[in-house]
Structures are given as structure tokens and as C-alpha cells.
Amino acid sequence: MMQKSDFFYNRKGEPVFLTGLQCHNSSVGTELIDSTIQAIHLYGGNLLEAPVYWCEVEAEEDCYDFSMVKTLVDKAKAAGLYLIPLWFGASKNGLFTYAPDYIKRNVGVYKRARNSAGIPVESLSPHCRATLDRDKKVFSKVMEFLAGYDREGTVIAVQIENEIGLAHTDRDYSKEAEAEYRQPVAKYLWDVKLKDSGVGEESTGTIDPPTWKGLFGRHANEAFSAWKHACYIQEMVEAGLEKYGIPYIMNVSIEINEYEEPGLCYISGGPVARVLDIWKKTAPGIKLFGPDIYLPAERDYRKACEAYARPDNPLFIPESLIGGIGAALNMMIAVADYAAIGICCFGAESGIADGKLLPEAEQTAISMRAIASLAPLLIRYRGTGRIHAVTQAEFSGWQYVKTEDYHVTARFLSNDPKPQHYFGSRINTNDPKNASCLTDRGRCLLVDCGDGEFYVAGAGVCLTFLRRPEVWDDTPYAHLASALSGQLNFLSVEEGHFEGNTWIREYRRNGDEANYQLYVHPGQVVRVRLNPDIKWEE
């Protein structure tokens, strides 16, 4: 069942399903943030993700400027959006490019990580106390400002750092790091087992107390790096919580990239799935770790969702592709099959031009609008098995969904051999401006509310419903063949929208618009109430 921690919550204590966009890295403080907000509205989102730059907040040591933060909150509030500020501090994609000049230039104090050859890399060392103290201090100041300024609850969470980790090395080999690596592993990590480490299930290391190599085998260096970064972040969280009691989250540069070796295929030391248990134990102040998923292939996308959708880590996707049919299909899968609590796309400004969606962004926007339109139901039925994703795989003409009481067959309009596209909607599919309704790659979310009530939103799909035989039925074939078992025996078919948790009917389908397949076109939420009271016997 849903736990209190499974969603983001507004100031009223109400769960919020987040859909939105993230701006490009350098847009805050420029006119581009207005384009981002415009794009969010076109995508039907309710969330702005935008960075806060350490180098701007504290350009000079102990001199603070929160004007950019204030403007960001003001713009999100004026647009009716929630805001997740992204702290671009000591680590942005493993690099220190957003650190202020006094950090970058004083390399003797704010030390770089070093690779195994002793050469400095482009990442600040998580073992450097001076860096952590400065990062923590300015972050605490920003949280203090937000706590005092954001009285209405525009900020719904805060992301600490951005894709933290080390670039071009699997761990830090500096003198400070080497000294810590030779120390015994903290006892609370002794029961952590890393998959494919080469270490037996019963092993607690080669010596007593255990070593990193003895506990984690071939993944020892990454495990050590993950632990130290997690220690760093837990101190950041604690400093933030002293000033601002809000959920703190992190995004992840995921490991699903070719041969999946740290420092080569992805940033090492971040909270990737392999070492997520280490992060969970060491940085318990982080509400969730959200994977950034830029994978259009369903196989890879599912692998990422499976890795991060855990009972102790509800799936929130902070970054994903802004456009493309892969993104349009996959976000449906994340919501239905992995109980996602929010999805965002990166690079909002790249999805629009002259105030309109670009063609490459349109399909992703259609899917996000469909998800947002069902948000009250996605919250209510999360994790119950009542939310189903229909997505048109390559070469596919249909998809079958089995619910407790109904067989549901989804047919994809682009492959429908017997189209009846004029019927089933108030959209005139003969109008050239609606031509895409018949060619859109099919996908939808189907929500089964029980007792024959369903809601559906998406594009390029038509559905048929057939009542499943009862256990006691002696003549199931005859009953399945009867029109009374199908959707012709409906109570009502409606198009509409939700205002809060209340369904508002806009249009009632009947006759030709309801007697055939249930058509789903972009921008529509369709509610069908089938008659559950079929009496075969007198």
C-alpha cells in the first residue's frame, strides 16, 4: 500500500504527481527561463526544475547574492508551477565547473581528486574537508533563504548536486583518499552485498575487520567512492534540514551504458543501482535517488526503471529525453509498470520555437499531457495493479490487457485494417488538421477503477472491452459471443477532465460515437462505465 513517503506533498499535505521540464544548464537568470516555463505549459506539466549556481550565489567568499534564487521562485509561482531547485555546487556531472573562482584557483586548499597515476582529474575530492565545509555553508545559506522567502510552498523538493561522482577515474587515489581506503570498512556496511562482486555471500572480508576489497571484490573502488560521496551528501542534507525542512533528493548518472564500468562508462561514486544500498545506509536523509534516463530503447529503459523502482526508493525520473517516440512510449511504461511518482524531461527550450511545440517534441508532449490528465487516479491507484500501459511496439497491430473482470484489446489506429475512424469521438478525423490522430504511434494509460469503470488517455488507440466469464459459468462461449458481454452494454461513455479529484464531463458519447470501439485521441480523457450487472439467467 502507498506509504506517506511515496509521493511529493504540497503544503496542504496533499500528494502531488509531478510532470515537468528542466531548463538547460545556463538558462537561469536569462530570458530562456521564460521559454522553459512556456514549454512546461505546452507539455501540460506542473513542475519547473532549474539550477541554482554556487558561483553566482557566492561569487566571492562569504558574500551572498540570492537575487537569482528569488527570481526563480517568483517566476515559478507566477506560472502556477512547483519548483525543484537543483543545487549546482561542488559536483555537476562529476565536474566542478559551477564552483566559484576562489575554489577553482586555490587548488592547495580545495583539492582535486586524483587518478591511479596520481594525476588530478576534473572533479573535486570528496575527501577534502575544506571543500565540503564551503559547499555545505553556502548550501545552508540558500536553504535558509528559501525557508524564509517561499511562504506559499512553491518549492516542493530540493536536489543536492547534479549527477555527483568522479570523472575519468574509478575512485580518488590522493593521499587523503588512500589513507581512508586502508581503514576498516564501517560496520554498518558489512551486510551489504554487491551483485557480481566475485565475493561469496558469506564473506565479511579477507581480514577482521573487513577491507573494501574483501567485502566488495571487483567493485571495491566504486563502493569506496560511493561511500565517501554519500558521507559528503549526508552532511549536506543535515545542514539543509537545520534551515529548511523539505525533501532532499538526488539525480543519478545511471550505469546503463555499454559495458558498465565506473569512470569509463559513467561517473564513479554516484548512487547508481550497483551501490545504491551503500548510499541508502550512508545518506538516509535523501528521500529518493532519481535516475536520469536518456534511453529510447524499451529494453534499456525498463532495465533502468527496474533498478531504481524499489520499495525504499519510489521512482522519480528527474531527466529524460525531451522528444522522440521512444520517450513518448516509455513514460507510459514508467507510470504503469514501475509506479513512477513523477517524470520530467530535460532541455525545455529545445522543444519549442516561436511559442509552439516543435514536431520532434509533439509526441512526447502528448504523452506527458495524457499522464498529467490522469494524475488523481495515478495517485489513488498507484501500486494496485489497476494502472495499465498500452504501447505500440514495432510491427504491432494490437495489445491485450487482462483485468480482473474484462478482456481489453487495444488496436493501434496506424495499423487498423478495418478503420471506423469517423465514429467514436467528437474529433473530425476527416479534417486534414487532425490527420495525425490516425497516424500517431499508439499508446495510452488505462486505469481500472473496478465495477466496470475505466479511464483512458493517450493517442492512436481504440479499445474493445469483453466481460470475462464467471467461474460458475457453464456456457462461457455463448456469453462471450453475446453483445451483452461487450461494451455495447455500457452505462455511459464520456470525455472530460479532472478538477482536483472531481471528474468534470465535457461531452457524452452515445450512438455511433459509443457503440463501436472506444477511440482515444490526443487531448482527451475518456471515461467508460460498463454495466456490471449482466443477468444470464431469469
Side-chain angles (χ1 to χ4, degrees):
M1 297 298 292
M2 185 181 73
Q3 302 297 317
K4 179 72 175 176
S5 61
D6 282 349
F7 284 97
F8 295 96
Y9 286 80
N10 62 23
R11 289 285 178 89
K12 297 178 182 179
E14 300 165 334
V16 179
F17 192 98
L18 294 177
T19 51
L21 304 179
Q22 185 175 142
C23 65
H24 281 293
N25 292 167
S26 303
S27 295
V28 176
T30 76
E31 74 286 352
L32 292 174
I33 201 68
D34 296 320
S35 296
T36 296
I37 290 172
Q38 190 175 38
I40 294 170
H41 289 311
L42 291 172
Y43 273 69
N46 60 2
L47 173 68
L48 166 64
E49 294 180 318
V52 172
Y53 315 126
W54 183 3
C55 57
E56 295 289 341
V57 173
E58 192 198 22
E60 297 182 14
E61 191 169 354
D62 291 323
C63 296
Y64 304 104
D65 180 0
F66 303 113
S67 58
M68 187 177 290
V69 185
K70 176 181 179 296
T71 300
L72 197 56
V73 174
D74 290 344
K75 284 185 175 292
K77 177 183 174 182
L81 300 173
Y82 292 106
L83 172 67
I84 295 183
L86 319 172
W87 176 242
F88 279 20
S91 184
K92 194 278 173 186
N93 297 65
L95 309 178
F96 56 81
T97 55
Y98 283 91
D101 288 358
Y102 78 85
I103 296 288
K104 294 177 179 177
R105 300 186 69 173
N106 198 347
V107 296
V109 175
Y110 307 108
K111 297 181 179 180
R112 312 296 192 262
R114 293 178 178 270
N115 63 21
S116 58
I119 300 171
V121 297
E122 306 95 318
S123 305
L124 292 168
S125 172
H127 300 269
C128 180
R129 185 76 231 179
T131 300
L132 172 55
D133 286 343
R134 295 307 309 181
D135 197 3
K136 185 169 65 172
K137 183 177 181 180
V138 65
F139 180 71
S140 176
K141 294 287 187 181
V142 174
M143 295 304 101
E144 184 177 31
F145 172 79
L146 285 174
Y149 187 71
D150 180 32
R151 297 296 186 181
E152 288 76 20
T154 298
V155 177
I156 199 166
V158 173
Q159 178 184 297
I160 303 182
E161 310 295 351
N162 189 84
E163 295 187 349
I164 197 171
L166 299 177
H168 305 122
T169 183
D170 57 351
R171 71 171 176 89
D172 185 2
Y173 292 84
S174 65
K175 291 180 180 179
E176 296 84 356
E178 284 295 292
E180 285 202 75
Y181 185 75
R182 288 192 292 269
Q183 295 298 311
V185 177
K187 190 171 184 178
Y188 69 87
L189 294 179
W190 289 5
D191 62 345
V192 174
K193 303 298 180 184
L194 302 189
K195 186 177 180 180
D196 191 39
S197 68
V199 175
E201 287 294 319
E202 302 303 320
S203 174
T204 56
T206 57
I207 61 172
D208 187 18
T211 64
W212 290 97
K213 197 68 173 177
L215 271 178
F216 303 116
R218 62 167 56 93
H219 303 315
N221 289 345
E222 184 178 11
F224 173 68
S225 185
W227 167 74
K228 193 59 186 179
H229 280 95
C231 291
Y232 185 111
I233 289 299
Q234 181 60 21
E235 286 203 37
M236 295 281 288
V237 174
E238 291 171 357
L241 285 171
E242 287 182 3
K243 304 296 184 180
Y244 195 18
I246 199 164
Y248 292 93
I249 67 173
M250 293 187 71
N251 67 331
V252 186
S253 174
I254 62 175
E255 70 279 21
I256 301 171
N257 181 28
E258 297 184 355
Y259 51 92
E260 300 184 6
E261 287 291 348
L264 293 166
C265 301
Y266 61 94
I267 300 165
S268 181
V272 299
R274 177 183 291 155
V275 292
L276 191 52
D277 286 342
I278 292 175
W279 271 89
K280 284 285 185 179
K281 285 176 172 286
T282 307
I286 295 295
K287 172 186 171 69
L288 60 82
F289 300 90
D292 293 343
I293 310 180
Y294 292 93
L295 301 169
E298 181 181 333
R299 173 201 59 200
D300 301 329
Y301 191 91
R302 283 188 178 275
K303 183 178 179 180
C305 290
E306 288 170 4
Y308 292 90
R310 304 177 7 161
D312 63 349
N313 196 69
L315 181 62
F316 173 66
I317 302 174
E319 298 181 27
S320 58
L321 293 168
I322 192 72
I325 195 61
L329 300 179
N330 288 334
M331 63 173 62
M332 300 289 193
I333 291 170
V335 171
D337 294 354
Y338 301 99
I341 63 171
I343 298 176
C344 294
C345 301
F346 175 80
E349 307 92 310
S350 297
I352 65 171
D354 299 323
K356 297 181 180 180
L357 289 170
L358 292 171
E360 54 267 32
E362 180 62 39
Q363 293 300 312
T364 307
I366 287 172
S367 291
M368 183 169 284
R369 290 196 296 267
I371 291 169
S373 70
L374 293 174
L377 301 179
L378 302 183
I379 292 170
R380 186 184 310 167
Y381 293 106
R382 178 181 182 267
T384 64
R386 291 184 174 273
I387 303 172
H388 306 275
V390 171
T391 56
Q392 185 178 359
E394 190 174 7
F395 312 120
S396 177
W398 56 272
Q399 181 177 328
Y400 167 64
V401 176
K402 181 168 66 176
T403 73
E404 184 177 358
D405 297 318
Y406 288 88
H407 297 296
V408 184
T409 302
R411 291 182 174 84
F412 303 117
L413 303 189
S414 60
N415 283 340
D416 190 351
K418 295 181 180 179
Q420 294 174 319
H421 299 136
Y422 172 75
F423 302 116
S425 173
R426 57 178 163 170
I427 292 178
N428 180 6
T429 54
N430 291 325
D431 188 334
K433 71 180 182 182
N434 296 325
S436 63
C437 291
L438 310 183
T439 59
D440 285 335
R441 188 74 167 261
R443 73 274 193 190
C444 70
L445 289 177
L446 174 69
V447 183
D448 175 10
C449 300
D451 292 327
E453 182 181 17
F454 294 86
Y455 291 81
V456 60
V461 177
C462 59
L463 306 175
T464 57
F465 297 82
L466 187 63
R467 182 67 178 263
R468 296 177 62 196
E470 301 289 349
V471 174
W472 47 262
D473 195 340
D474 292 328
T475 56
Y477 177 87
H479 294 158
L480 285 168
S482 169
L484 288 177
S485 291
Q487 66 204 55
L488 186 61
N489 190 16
F490 61 81
L491 299 176
S492 64
V493 181
E494 303 170 343
E495 297 175 23
H497 67 278
F498 283 96
E499 291 184 4
N501 293 317
T502 302
W503 171 252
I504 305 298
R505 186 181 74 189
E506 301 170 357
Y507 176 75
R508 183 162 186 164
R509 297 182 185 178
N510 210 326
D512 289 343
E513 285 70 52
N515 294 348
Y516 302 96
Q517 297 159 321
L518 184 75
Y519 285 84
V520 184
H521 297 305
Q524 298 177 339
V525 179
V526 183
R527 178 196 188 199
V528 57
R529 294 167 57 241
L530 302 170
N531 188 355
D533 298 317
I534 301 176
K535 303 298 183 184
W536 297 113
E537 306 296 338
E538 291 293 340

